[in-house]
Amino acid sequence: MIRHLLRVWLPDRPGSLGELAGAIGNAGGNVEGVEILESGAGRAIDELLVSTDDIDPVVMALARVDGVDVEWVK
């Protein structure tokens, strides 16, 4: 599996990180690490280390999660 670093904006509320992780898992990705960079004004910016053979289904799954925006993938 290939490791990818994603920077993601998400709602700053209970359960949003769990919902994000569930979407990643359902798309075939495995969350290996999370760093919360910033939170405030109802939004959080997180960087996630995700391992998967194909990142595209993961990014598409995150786009379907309400309030989540993928800033970039490396």
Side-chain angles (χ1 to χ4, degrees):
M1 291 194 145
I2 302 167
R3 288 185 173 145
H4 305 271
L5 187 63
L6 291 83
R7 181 170 288 178
V8 180
W9 292 70
L10 64 156
D12 188 13
R13 61 170 170 70
S16 63
L17 186 56
E19 187 177 358
L20 188 80
I24 291 169
N26 289 336
N30 184 41
V31 178
E32 294 187 5
V34 176
E35 183 175 355
I36 300 166
L37 301 177
E38 187 177 319
S39 65
R43 298 276 280 174
I45 306 169
D46 294 357
E47 285 187 356
L48 300 113
L49 183 61
V50 176
S51 62
T52 183
D53 290 327
D54 186 0
I55 195 66
D56 291 335
V58 172
V59 173
M60 288 187 294
L62 293 178
R64 291 189 296 270
V65 177
D66 189 39
V68 171
D69 298 300
V70 177
E71 185 174 328
W72 49 254
V73 177
K74 291 186 181 183

